[in-house]
Amino acid sequence: MERKFFLNTDRIGFSKWAQDDIELARLLWGNPEVTKYICASGVFSDDDIIRRLNTEIQNESVYQVQYWPVFELTTKALIGCCGLRIHKTEEYEIGVHLRPEYWGRGYAKESANAVIEYAFCVLNAKKLFAGHNPDNSKSRKLLKKLTREGIAILLSSHIIGEVRHTADRVGILSGGFIKEEFSVERS
């Protein structure tokens, strides 16, 4: 069966997780290089992967968002996932998890930009947040690229948006640039 995409860029297609995607979920979240910074232990057990897949499916059912699986259009190979989590009404957190063989090829930036546009144009988001583990320099670099390109390029006239660098810094965006950045005390 041909996989259906609800969102495309030039190189990638976004689909939706389903119960029969367990092997794809294992391919992604079963890789310790992927999970190194996204869970406390750094690795997902098989039960964790099943729970994560079910959470994504449930989020889509209830909130119409998830960390959608992302595929290379030419090969139909799973690149990873990129999507949204509901934070509050009209506020979302954006996230990206890619398989290591796709790192450094522009897929994270390309998929995040597509999700940002989807959030503001389709979902009418008022704010987007993005967090990262402070030890994950690649995520920090991606967030800085996105902010300089206008993660908060607003299609809404009065809300700018916000990026949260979890654990150590918070950056408030204005006009697509970090307007204010400050350290956060950990408790």
Short mmCIF file of all heavy atoms in Angstrom, two decimals, residues 7-56:
data_model
loop_
_atom_site.label_atom_id
_atom_site.label_comp_id
_atom_site.label_asym_id
_atom_site.label_seq_id
_atom_site.Cartn_x
_atom_site.Cartn_y
_atom_site.Cartn_z
N LEU A 7 1.38 16.49 3.85
CA LEU A 7 2.20 17.69 3.75
C LEU A 7 3.50 17.29 3.06
O LEU A 7 4.09 16.25 3.40
CB LEU A 7 2.48 18.22 5.17
CG LEU A 7 3.36 19.45 5.32
CD1 LEU A 7 2.71 20.68 4.69
CD2 LEU A 7 3.63 19.72 6.81
N ASN A 8 3.94 18.09 2.09
CA ASN A 8 5.16 17.81 1.35
C ASN A 8 6.03 19.04 1.25
O ASN A 8 5.52 20.16 1.22
CB ASN A 8 4.86 17.38 -0.09
CG ASN A 8 4.22 16.03 -0.21
OD1 ASN A 8 4.40 15.16 0.63
ND2 ASN A 8 3.45 15.86 -1.26
N THR A 9 7.34 18.82 1.15
CA THR A 9 8.28 19.84 0.71
C THR A 9 8.87 19.29 -0.59
O THR A 9 8.38 18.28 -1.11
CB THR A 9 9.41 20.06 1.75
OG1 THR A 9 10.24 18.91 1.78
CG2 THR A 9 8.83 20.37 3.13
N ASP A 10 9.91 19.89 -1.08
CA ASP A 10 10.53 19.38 -2.31
C ASP A 10 11.10 17.98 -2.13
O ASP A 10 11.07 17.18 -3.06
CB ASP A 10 11.64 20.31 -2.79
CG ASP A 10 11.11 21.62 -3.33
OD1 ASP A 10 9.92 21.68 -3.69
OD2 ASP A 10 11.90 22.59 -3.41
N ARG A 11 11.60 17.67 -0.92
CA ARG A 11 12.29 16.40 -0.71
C ARG A 11 11.60 15.44 0.24
O ARG A 11 11.94 14.26 0.27
CB ARG A 11 13.71 16.66 -0.16
CG ARG A 11 14.58 17.48 -1.05
CD ARG A 11 16.00 17.57 -0.53
NE ARG A 11 16.07 18.13 0.82
CZ ARG A 11 17.08 17.95 1.65
NH1 ARG A 11 18.11 17.21 1.29
NH2 ARG A 11 17.09 18.50 2.84
N ILE A 12 10.68 15.92 1.05
CA ILE A 12 10.11 15.07 2.09
C ILE A 12 8.59 15.11 2.12
O ILE A 12 7.96 16.07 1.69
CB ILE A 12 10.66 15.43 3.50
CG1 ILE A 12 10.33 16.88 3.86
CG2 ILE A 12 12.14 15.18 3.58
CD1 ILE A 12 10.78 17.29 5.25
N GLY A 13 8.02 14.02 2.63
CA GLY A 13 6.57 13.91 2.81
C GLY A 13 6.26 13.57 4.26
O GLY A 13 6.95 12.77 4.89
N PHE A 14 5.20 14.18 4.78
CA PHE A 14 4.73 13.94 6.14
C PHE A 14 3.52 13.03 6.10
O PHE A 14 2.58 13.29 5.35
CB PHE A 14 4.30 15.26 6.80
CG PHE A 14 5.43 16.19 7.12
CD1 PHE A 14 6.04 16.95 6.13
CD2 PHE A 14 5.87 16.34 8.42
CE1 PHE A 14 7.06 17.82 6.42
CE2 PHE A 14 6.89 17.21 8.73
CZ PHE A 14 7.50 17.96 7.73
N SER A 15 3.54 12.00 6.90
CA SER A 15 2.44 11.07 7.01
C SER A 15 1.93 11.11 8.45
O SER A 15 2.28 12.00 9.21
CB SER A 15 2.93 9.67 6.63
OG SER A 15 1.87 8.76 6.56
N LYS A 16 1.11 10.14 8.82
CA LYS A 16 0.60 10.04 10.19
C LYS A 16 0.86 8.63 10.70
O LYS A 16 0.72 7.66 9.98
CB LYS A 16 -0.90 10.35 10.23
CG LYS A 16 -1.17 11.79 9.84
CD LYS A 16 -2.62 12.16 9.89
CE LYS A 16 -2.78 13.61 9.43
NZ LYS A 16 -4.16 14.05 9.49
N TRP A 17 1.30 8.56 11.96
CA TRP A 17 1.56 7.26 12.57
C TRP A 17 0.27 6.46 12.68
O TRP A 17 -0.79 7.01 12.97
CB TRP A 17 2.13 7.42 13.99
CG TRP A 17 3.52 7.98 14.06
CD1 TRP A 17 3.86 9.23 14.50
CD2 TRP A 17 4.73 7.33 13.72
NE1 TRP A 17 5.22 9.39 14.46
CE2 TRP A 17 5.79 8.24 13.99
CE3 TRP A 17 5.05 6.07 13.23
CZ2 TRP A 17 7.12 7.92 13.78
CZ3 TRP A 17 6.38 5.75 13.01
CH2 TRP A 17 7.41 6.66 13.29
N ALA A 18 0.38 5.16 12.48
CA ALA A 18 -0.73 4.21 12.64
C ALA A 18 -0.20 3.00 13.41
O ALA A 18 1.01 2.80 13.51
CB ALA A 18 -1.26 3.79 11.28
N GLN A 19 -1.11 2.19 13.92
CA GLN A 19 -0.71 1.02 14.71
C GLN A 19 0.22 0.08 13.95
O GLN A 19 1.12 -0.50 14.54
CB GLN A 19 -1.95 0.24 15.18
CG GLN A 19 -2.72 0.93 16.28
CD GLN A 19 -1.91 1.15 17.54
OE1 GLN A 19 -1.07 0.33 17.92
NE2 GLN A 19 -2.13 2.27 18.19
N ASP A 20 0.05 -0.04 12.64
CA ASP A 20 0.90 -0.97 11.89
C ASP A 20 2.28 -0.39 11.56
O ASP A 20 3.06 -0.99 10.84
CB ASP A 20 0.19 -1.46 10.63
CG ASP A 20 -0.20 -0.35 9.67
OD1 ASP A 20 -0.05 0.84 10.02
OD2 ASP A 20 -0.68 -0.68 8.57
N ASP A 21 2.61 0.79 12.14
CA ASP A 21 3.92 1.41 11.94
C ASP A 21 4.93 1.04 13.02
O ASP A 21 5.96 1.69 13.16
CB ASP A 21 3.78 2.94 11.90
CG ASP A 21 3.16 3.44 10.62
OD1 ASP A 21 3.34 2.79 9.56
OD2 ASP A 21 2.51 4.50 10.67
N ILE A 22 4.67 -0.02 13.77
CA ILE A 22 5.55 -0.36 14.89
C ILE A 22 6.99 -0.61 14.43
O ILE A 22 7.94 -0.20 15.11
CB ILE A 22 5.00 -1.55 15.72
CG1 ILE A 22 5.85 -1.74 16.99
CG2 ILE A 22 4.89 -2.80 14.91
CD1 ILE A 22 5.90 -0.58 17.94
N GLU A 23 7.19 -1.23 13.29
CA GLU A 23 8.56 -1.48 12.82
C GLU A 23 9.27 -0.17 12.46
O GLU A 23 10.47 -0.02 12.71
CB GLU A 23 8.59 -2.47 11.66
CG GLU A 23 8.21 -3.89 12.07
CD GLU A 23 8.99 -4.41 13.28
OE1 GLU A 23 10.23 -4.21 13.35
OE2 GLU A 23 8.36 -5.01 14.17
N LEU A 24 8.54 0.77 11.88
CA LEU A 24 9.12 2.09 11.61
C LEU A 24 9.45 2.81 12.91
O LEU A 24 10.50 3.46 13.03
CB LEU A 24 8.17 2.93 10.76
CG LEU A 24 7.97 2.49 9.32
CD1 LEU A 24 6.89 3.33 8.65
CD2 LEU A 24 9.28 2.57 8.55
N ALA A 25 8.56 2.70 13.89
CA ALA A 25 8.81 3.31 15.19
C ALA A 25 10.05 2.72 15.84
O ALA A 25 10.87 3.44 16.43
CB ALA A 25 7.58 3.14 16.09
N ARG A 26 10.22 1.41 15.73
CA ARG A 26 11.41 0.75 16.28
C ARG A 26 12.68 1.21 15.54
O ARG A 26 13.74 1.37 16.16
CB ARG A 26 11.28 -0.76 16.18
CG ARG A 26 10.31 -1.34 17.18
CD ARG A 26 10.24 -2.87 17.09
NE ARG A 26 9.37 -3.40 18.11
CZ ARG A 26 8.29 -4.13 17.86
NH1 ARG A 26 7.95 -4.45 16.62
NH2 ARG A 26 7.54 -4.56 18.87
N LEU A 27 12.57 1.38 14.23
CA LEU A 27 13.70 1.85 13.44
C LEU A 27 14.17 3.23 13.92
O LEU A 27 15.37 3.50 14.00
CB LEU A 27 13.29 1.90 11.95
CG LEU A 27 14.34 2.24 10.93
CD1 LEU A 27 15.42 1.17 10.87
CD2 LEU A 27 13.68 2.39 9.56
N LEU A 28 13.22 4.08 14.27
CA LEU A 28 13.54 5.43 14.73
C LEU A 28 13.91 5.45 16.21
O LEU A 28 15.04 5.75 16.59
CB LEU A 28 12.36 6.36 14.46
CG LEU A 28 12.50 7.80 14.94
CD1 LEU A 28 13.67 8.50 14.23
CD2 LEU A 28 11.20 8.56 14.71
N TRP A 29 12.95 5.14 17.08
CA TRP A 29 13.15 5.30 18.52
C TRP A 29 13.90 4.13 19.16
O TRP A 29 14.27 4.21 20.33
CB TRP A 29 11.82 5.53 19.21
CG TRP A 29 11.20 6.83 18.82
CD1 TRP A 29 11.79 8.06 18.83
CD2 TRP A 29 9.87 7.04 18.36
NE1 TRP A 29 10.90 9.02 18.40
CE2 TRP A 29 9.72 8.41 18.09
CE3 TRP A 29 8.79 6.19 18.12
CZ2 TRP A 29 8.52 8.97 17.64
CZ3 TRP A 29 7.61 6.74 17.67
CH2 TRP A 29 7.48 8.11 17.42
N GLY A 30 14.17 3.09 18.39
CA GLY A 30 15.00 2.00 18.88
C GLY A 30 16.49 2.28 18.70
O GLY A 30 17.32 1.52 19.15
N ASN A 31 16.81 3.38 18.06
CA ASN A 31 18.19 3.75 17.83
C ASN A 31 18.67 4.67 18.96
O ASN A 31 18.17 5.78 19.11
CB ASN A 31 18.30 4.47 16.48
CG ASN A 31 19.73 4.77 16.10
OD1 ASN A 31 20.57 5.09 16.94
ND2 ASN A 31 20.01 4.69 14.81
N PRO A 32 19.65 4.22 19.76
CA PRO A 32 20.11 5.03 20.89
C PRO A 32 20.72 6.38 20.48
O PRO A 32 20.73 7.31 21.28
CB PRO A 32 21.15 4.16 21.59
CG PRO A 32 21.34 2.95 20.77
CD PRO A 32 20.32 2.92 19.68
N GLU A 33 21.18 6.50 19.23
CA GLU A 33 21.66 7.80 18.77
C GLU A 33 20.51 8.79 18.64
O GLU A 33 20.70 9.99 18.82
CB GLU A 33 22.39 7.66 17.43
CG GLU A 33 23.74 6.99 17.55
CD GLU A 33 24.71 7.78 18.40
OE1 GLU A 33 24.92 8.98 18.14
OE2 GLU A 33 25.26 7.19 19.36
N VAL A 34 19.33 8.31 18.34
CA VAL A 34 18.14 9.17 18.24
C VAL A 34 17.64 9.53 19.63
O VAL A 34 17.29 10.68 19.89
CB VAL A 34 17.03 8.47 17.42
CG1 VAL A 34 15.74 9.28 17.44
CG2 VAL A 34 17.49 8.22 15.99
N THR A 35 17.60 8.56 20.52
CA THR A 35 16.98 8.77 21.83
C THR A 35 17.94 9.31 22.88
O THR A 35 17.52 9.64 24.00
CB THR A 35 16.34 7.48 22.35
OG1 THR A 35 17.33 6.46 22.41
CG2 THR A 35 15.19 7.05 21.44
N LYS A 36 19.19 9.43 22.55
CA LYS A 36 20.23 9.85 23.49
C LYS A 36 19.83 11.08 24.31
O LYS A 36 20.10 11.14 25.51
CB LYS A 36 21.50 10.14 22.69
CG LYS A 36 22.69 10.56 23.47
CD LYS A 36 23.86 10.71 22.50
CE LYS A 36 25.13 11.15 23.17
NZ LYS A 36 26.23 11.24 22.20
N TYR A 37 19.20 12.06 23.68
CA TYR A 37 18.85 13.31 24.35
C TYR A 37 17.36 13.49 24.62
O TYR A 37 16.95 14.53 25.10
CB TYR A 37 19.33 14.50 23.52
CG TYR A 37 20.83 14.56 23.35
CD1 TYR A 37 21.41 14.45 22.10
CD2 TYR A 37 21.67 14.74 24.45
CE1 TYR A 37 22.79 14.51 21.93
CE2 TYR A 37 23.05 14.80 24.30
CZ TYR A 37 23.60 14.69 23.04
OH TYR A 37 24.96 14.75 22.88
N ILE A 38 16.55 12.49 24.28
CA ILE A 38 15.09 12.72 24.43
C ILE A 38 14.45 11.93 25.56
O ILE A 38 13.26 12.08 25.80
CB ILE A 38 14.33 12.48 23.11
CG1 ILE A 38 14.44 11.05 22.63
CG2 ILE A 38 14.78 13.46 22.06
CD1 ILE A 38 13.58 10.74 21.42
N CYS A 39 15.23 11.11 26.25
CA CYS A 39 14.69 10.43 27.43
C CYS A 39 15.78 10.33 28.49
O CYS A 39 16.96 10.40 28.17
CB CYS A 39 14.11 9.07 27.08
SG CYS A 39 15.31 7.84 26.55
N ALA A 40 15.37 10.19 29.72
CA ALA A 40 16.31 10.22 30.85
C ALA A 40 17.38 9.14 30.74
O ALA A 40 18.56 9.39 31.01
CB ALA A 40 15.55 10.08 32.16
N SER A 41 16.99 7.93 30.34
CA SER A 41 17.96 6.83 30.27
C SER A 41 18.80 6.88 29.00
O SER A 41 19.83 6.22 28.91
CB SER A 41 17.23 5.49 30.34
OG SER A 41 16.48 5.28 29.15
N GLY A 42 18.35 7.64 28.00
CA GLY A 42 19.06 7.72 26.73
C GLY A 42 18.69 6.63 25.75
O GLY A 42 19.09 6.68 24.59
N VAL A 43 17.93 5.63 26.18
CA VAL A 43 17.47 4.56 25.29
C VAL A 43 16.01 4.24 25.58
O VAL A 43 15.55 4.36 26.71
CB VAL A 43 18.32 3.27 25.43
CG1 VAL A 43 19.74 3.50 24.97
CG2 VAL A 43 18.30 2.75 26.84
N PHE A 44 15.30 3.85 24.56
CA PHE A 44 13.91 3.41 24.69
C PHE A 44 13.88 1.89 24.71
O PHE A 44 14.49 1.25 23.84
CB PHE A 44 13.07 3.87 23.50
CG PHE A 44 12.53 5.27 23.58
CD1 PHE A 44 13.04 6.22 24.45
CD2 PHE A 44 11.48 5.65 22.75
CE1 PHE A 44 12.53 7.51 24.49
CE2 PHE A 44 10.96 6.93 22.79
CZ PHE A 44 11.48 7.86 23.66
N SER A 45 13.16 1.32 25.65
CA SER A 45 12.88 -0.11 25.61
C SER A 45 11.81 -0.34 24.54
O SER A 45 11.20 0.61 24.05
CB SER A 45 12.37 -0.59 26.98
OG SER A 45 11.08 -0.04 27.22
N ASP A 46 11.56 -1.60 24.23
CA ASP A 46 10.51 -1.89 23.26
C ASP A 46 9.16 -1.40 23.79
O ASP A 46 8.35 -0.85 23.02
CB ASP A 46 10.45 -3.38 22.93
CG ASP A 46 9.73 -3.62 21.61
OD1 ASP A 46 10.13 -3.04 20.57
OD2 ASP A 46 8.73 -4.38 21.62
N ASP A 47 8.92 -1.54 25.08
CA ASP A 47 7.67 -1.02 25.67
C ASP A 47 7.59 0.50 25.55
O ASP A 47 6.52 1.04 25.29
CB ASP A 47 7.55 -1.42 27.15
CG ASP A 47 7.21 -2.89 27.34
OD1 ASP A 47 6.75 -3.54 26.36
OD2 ASP A 47 7.40 -3.40 28.46
N ASP A 48 8.73 1.18 25.72
CA ASP A 48 8.77 2.65 25.56
C ASP A 48 8.41 3.03 24.12
O ASP A 48 7.69 4.00 23.89
CB ASP A 48 10.16 3.20 25.87
CG ASP A 48 10.55 3.09 27.33
OD1 ASP A 48 9.65 3.07 28.21
OD2 ASP A 48 11.77 3.03 27.60
N ILE A 49 8.93 2.28 23.17
CA ILE A 49 8.65 2.57 21.75
C ILE A 49 7.16 2.39 21.46
O ILE A 49 6.54 3.23 20.80
CB ILE A 49 9.51 1.68 20.84
CG1 ILE A 49 10.99 2.03 21.00
CG2 ILE A 49 9.08 1.82 19.37
CD1 ILE A 49 11.95 1.02 20.38
N ILE A 50 6.58 1.31 21.96
CA ILE A 50 5.14 1.06 21.76
C ILE A 50 4.32 2.17 22.41
O ILE A 50 3.37 2.69 21.79
CB ILE A 50 4.75 -0.33 22.31
CG1 ILE A 50 5.41 -1.42 21.45
CG2 ILE A 50 3.24 -0.49 22.36
CD1 ILE A 50 5.37 -2.81 22.06
N ARG A 51 4.70 2.57 23.62
CA ARG A 51 3.99 3.67 24.30
C ARG A 51 4.12 4.96 23.51
O ARG A 51 3.15 5.71 23.37
CB ARG A 51 4.52 3.86 25.72
CG ARG A 51 3.85 3.00 26.76
CD ARG A 51 4.18 3.44 28.18
NE ARG A 51 5.59 3.31 28.50
CZ ARG A 51 6.17 2.17 28.89
NH1 ARG A 51 5.48 1.06 29.01
NH2 ARG A 51 7.47 2.16 29.16
N ARG A 52 5.33 5.22 22.99
CA ARG A 52 5.55 6.45 22.23
C ARG A 52 4.69 6.46 20.97
O ARG A 52 4.06 7.47 20.64
CB ARG A 52 7.03 6.60 21.87
CG ARG A 52 7.38 7.85 21.10
CD ARG A 52 7.00 9.09 21.90
NE ARG A 52 7.21 10.29 21.17
CZ ARG A 52 8.16 11.16 21.43
NH1 ARG A 52 9.01 10.98 22.40
NH2 ARG A 52 8.25 12.25 20.69
N LEU A 53 4.65 5.35 20.26
CA LEU A 53 3.81 5.25 19.07
C LEU A 53 2.35 5.48 19.43
O LEU A 53 1.64 6.26 18.77
CB LEU A 53 4.00 3.89 18.39
CG LEU A 53 3.13 3.64 17.16
CD1 LEU A 53 3.41 4.64 16.05
CD2 LEU A 53 3.33 2.21 16.67
N ASN A 54 1.88 4.84 20.49
CA ASN A 54 0.49 5.01 20.92
C ASN A 54 0.19 6.45 21.33
O ASN A 54 -0.90 6.97 21.06
CB ASN A 54 0.15 4.04 22.04
CG ASN A 54 0.05 2.62 21.54
OD1 ASN A 54 -0.28 2.37 20.37
ND2 ASN A 54 0.34 1.66 22.40
N THR A 55 1.15 7.10 21.97
CA THR A 55 0.98 8.51 22.35
C THR A 55 0.83 9.39 21.12
O THR A 55 -0.04 10.27 21.07
CB THR A 55 2.18 9.00 23.20
OG1 THR A 55 2.21 8.26 24.42
CG2 THR A 55 2.10 10.49 23.49
N GLU A 56 1.66 9.15 20.11
CA GLU A 56 1.56 9.94 18.87
C GLU A 56 0.20 9.73 18.20
O GLU A 56 -0.43 10.69 17.75
CB GLU A 56 2.71 9.60 17.92
CG GLU A 56 4.09 9.90 18.44
CD GLU A 56 4.31 11.34 18.88
OE1 GLU A 56 3.62 12.25 18.39
OE2 GLU A 56 5.18 11.56 19.73
#
